[in-house]
């Protein structure tokens, strides 16, 4: 028998299940772009209807034309820029520190569920800044990505990846909205709302004139009337959605955390990540106000660790400095131990919000507080 390289397996036949699976996945990826193409086509038509049919062909006052065209193009540019950034900014995934080592993955696959698996996860999570748990009190572990989930990280079934600070998967942008693009998504909502309100406001008088036959019946009539209806309709839906996300930012919550509040080591705390309105706002938009309204990334932190309020401490941990009762409420909240990187975020290092003594007391005990720790796979 001759030794040599093993021949590569032949590609699946046209009718093989693997071939059909690949075709189906490609078709699904194409279908995911349909909502984006729909929004883009509406945007292109609105540009033609407003600039050509309304401003250039219908408006007679030169000053009005200039003001409307300049203001319109500013809103249009900001809308397109923020929409583009929301679509094409790749979601951030957990860093390598959260991935299990090869030996740990082998242990989890080889051992039955039990104390051995619990020990693997305890060992993997003991030095990580993880403070949330599953409903059963287990370390949050993803068996598809083979990693310990950072706080506020969730597995997206559409992207098939774990997304840092995942808010939701949005079909209108064909992307996951999370830590890397949440600011862009908020600006997209804001500028699309302003875009629609501006169109509706400046188009209203011409809509009324065409409706009451005050202007001649031309081709522009259809475009101007439908443009007003579309702008008004989108304004209503966008205002409610934008208002909802403004409320989320003010409370430092994600959409997923509204439906299922984060569970910390002792209890569920729906406001566990809230730092007060000012710091909540800075966590999304950053410290430099000159970047707040521009679609450039300026969010604070690394997406893997977040300052939080630990309402109750573990009995194994040192008591609160100054003799404070460990079960006291919000006025005695503590922030977690230092994250993996000495952080990019001022929110993680402010002295009033993060007592160093408590941070040192917490060090080395993360992930060890629950003696009945069990592995639970979440998607």
């Amino acid at each position: 028998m001759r030794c040599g390289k093993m021949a590569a397996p032949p590609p699946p036949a046209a009718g093989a299940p693997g071939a059909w699976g690949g075709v189906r996945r490609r078709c699904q990826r194409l279908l995911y772009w349909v909502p984006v193409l729909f929004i883009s086509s509406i945007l292109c038509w609105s540009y033609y209807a407003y600039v050509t049919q309304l401003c250039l062909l219908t408006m007679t006052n030169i000053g009005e034309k200039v003001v409307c065209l300049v203001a319109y193009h500013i809103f249009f540019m900001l809308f397109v820029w923020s929409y583009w950034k929301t679509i094409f900014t790749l979601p951030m995934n957990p860093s390598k520190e959260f991935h299990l080592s090869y030996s740990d993955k082998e242990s989890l696959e080889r051992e039955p569920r039990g104390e051995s698996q619990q020990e693997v996860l305890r060992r993997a999570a003991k030095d990580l800044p993880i403070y949330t748990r599953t409903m059963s009190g287990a370390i949050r572990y993803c068996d598809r990505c083979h990693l310990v989930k950072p706080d506020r990280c969730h597995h997206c079934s559409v992207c098939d990846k774990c997304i840092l600070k995942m808010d939701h998967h949005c079909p209108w942008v064909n992307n996951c909205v999370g830590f890397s693009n949440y600011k862009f998504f908020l600006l997209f909502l804001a500028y699309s709302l302003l875009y629609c309100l501006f169109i509706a406001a400046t188009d209203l008088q011409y809509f009324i004139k065409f409706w009451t036959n005050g202007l001649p019946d031309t081709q522009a009539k259809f475009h101007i009337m439908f443009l007003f209806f579309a702008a008004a309709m989108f304004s209503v839906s966008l205002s409610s959605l934008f208002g909802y996300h403004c409320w989320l930012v003010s409370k430092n919550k994600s959409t997923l955390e509204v439906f299922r509040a984060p569970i910390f080591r002792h209890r569920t705390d729906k406001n566990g990540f809230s730092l007060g309105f000012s710091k909540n706002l800075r966590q999304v938009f950053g410290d430099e106000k000159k970047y707040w309204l521009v679609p450039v990334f300026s969010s604070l932190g690394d997406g893997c660790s977040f300052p939080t309020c630990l309402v109750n401490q573990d009995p194994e941990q040192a008591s609160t400095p100054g003799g404070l009762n460990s079960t006291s409420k919000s006025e005695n909240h503590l922030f977690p131990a230092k994250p993996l990187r000495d952080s990019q975020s001022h929110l993680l290092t402010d002295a009033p919000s993060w007592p160093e003594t408590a941070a040192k007391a917490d060090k080395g005990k993360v992930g060890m507080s629950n003696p009945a720790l069990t592995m639970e796979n979440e998607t």
Side-chain angles (χ1 to χ4, degrees):
M1 183 174 63
R2 291 182 298 175
C3 296
K5 291 184 179 180
M6 184 178 293
W20 282 113
V23 172
R24 184 178 60 187
R25 284 191 295 271
R26 284 192 290 271
C27 291
Q28 284 178 339
R29 284 196 293 267
L30 289 175
L31 287 175
Y32 290 151
W33 284 101
V34 170
V36 176
L37 294 175
F38 173 74
I39 294 294
S40 301
S41 62
I42 292 291
L43 188 60
C44 292
W45 167 79
S46 68
Y47 184 91
Y48 166 76
Y50 191 89
V51 173
T52 303
Q53 296 294 334
L54 178 60
C55 292
L56 299 181
L57 299 180
T58 304
M59 290 182 181
T60 56
N61 187 293
I62 299 298
E64 184 183 12
K65 280 186 182 182
V66 172
V67 171
C68 287
L69 284 172
V70 170
Y72 173 83
H73 280 91
I74 292 174
F75 289 125
F76 180 82
M77 180 193 70
L78 292 170
F79 178 14
V80 172
W81 187 7
S82 57
Y83 189 44
W84 178 275
K85 293 285 285 185
T86 307
I87 295 172
F88 293 105
T89 299
L90 295 177
M92 286 180 63
N93 312 120
S95 57
K96 63 181 181 180
E97 292 93 339
F98 292 87
H99 289 259
L100 295 187
S101 65
Y102 181 77
S103 59
D104 287 343
K105 284 190 285 187
E106 277 196 330
S107 298
L108 285 177
E109 293 171 358
R110 183 174 60 250
E111 300 292 338
R113 288 181 181 271
E115 185 61 29
S116 57
Q117 286 188 335
Q118 297 171 28
E119 186 59 37
V120 169
L121 290 182
R122 290 193 191 102
R123 186 169 62 250
K126 69 175 183 177
D127 294 323
L128 297 176
I130 296 173
Y131 298 91
T132 54
R133 299 292 186 264
T134 66
M135 295 182 68
S136 64
I139 293 287
R140 299 170 64 244
Y141 172 75
C142 179
D143 60 350
R144 296 184 65 87
C145 300
H146 303 292
L147 56 83
V148 175
K149 290 182 181 179
D151 292 342
R152 316 186 81 176
C153 174
H154 298 275
H155 188 89
C156 176
S157 58
V158 179
C159 300
D160 198 24
K161 293 178 181 177
C162 282
I163 308 299
L164 294 180
K165 197 187 175 184
M166 180 178 172
D167 187 87
H168 68 289
H169 185 94
C170 181
W172 298 107
V173 300
N174 189 28
N175 200 2
C176 258
V177 177
F179 176 76
S180 63
N181 63 350
Y182 187 63
K183 177 192 171 184
F184 305 147
F185 179 73
L186 285 171
L187 292 179
F188 158 63
L189 293 179
Y191 290 133
S192 58
L193 177 59
L194 290 175
Y195 178 79
C196 291
L197 290 174
F198 175 79
I199 289 177
T202 54
D203 186 34
L204 178 59
Q205 60 173 316
Y206 297 96
F207 169 80
I208 295 173
K209 288 179 181 179
F210 274 116
W211 189 264
T212 57
N213 297 318
L215 290 174
D217 195 357
T218 62
Q219 181 186 2
K221 179 177 182 178
F222 164 78
H223 292 284
I224 290 175
M225 295 185 71
F226 190 71
L227 185 65
F228 177 80
F229 278 122
M233 179 182 67
F234 279 110
S235 295
V236 173
S237 58
L238 285 169
S239 60
S240 59
L241 185 59
F242 179 62
Y244 172 69
H245 278 279
C246 286
W247 176 78
L248 289 181
V249 171
S250 71
K251 299 295 183 181
N252 204 344
K253 295 181 180 181
S254 67
T255 300
L256 292 176
E257 289 166 354
V258 170
F259 288 101
R260 186 169 66 184
I263 303 170
F264 295 91
R265 279 175 283 198
H266 284 281
R267 56 178 291 179
T268 299
D269 191 341
K270 64 181 181 179
N271 295 314
F273 293 106
S274 182
L275 313 173
F277 178 78
S278 177
K279 288 188 176 182
N280 293 345
L281 192 68
R282 286 164 52 203
Q283 196 171 92
V284 175
F285 289 95
D287 286 327
E288 299 190 56
K289 294 183 179 180
K290 62 183 179 182
Y291 295 125
W292 282 13
L293 301 181
V294 184
V296 295
F297 185 81
S298 59
S299 300
L300 299 181
D302 57 8
C304 291
S305 55
F306 299 89
T308 184
C309 301
L310 299 179
V311 178
N312 294 310
Q313 288 187 300
D314 291 328
E316 299 177 8
Q317 293 176 325
S319 60
T320 309
L324 298 175
N325 192 326
S326 64
T327 59
S328 59
K329 297 298 180 181
S330 58
E331 65 270 18
N332 297 325
H333 285 182
L334 294 178
F335 281 50
K338 239 174 189 175
L340 295 176
R341 307 162 192 55
D342 284 340
S343 198
Q344 309 87 331
S345 172
H346 298 299
L347 300 179
L348 297 175
T349 56
D350 283 347
S353 304
W354 181 13
E356 277 302 320
T357 53
K360 292 176 182 176
D362 265 354
K363 189 176 181 181
K365 297 185 181 292
V366 179
M368 300 294 291
S369 60
N370 188 353
L373 186 66
T374 56
M375 183 179 71
E376 179 171 306
N377 299 331
E378 283 189 31
T379 55

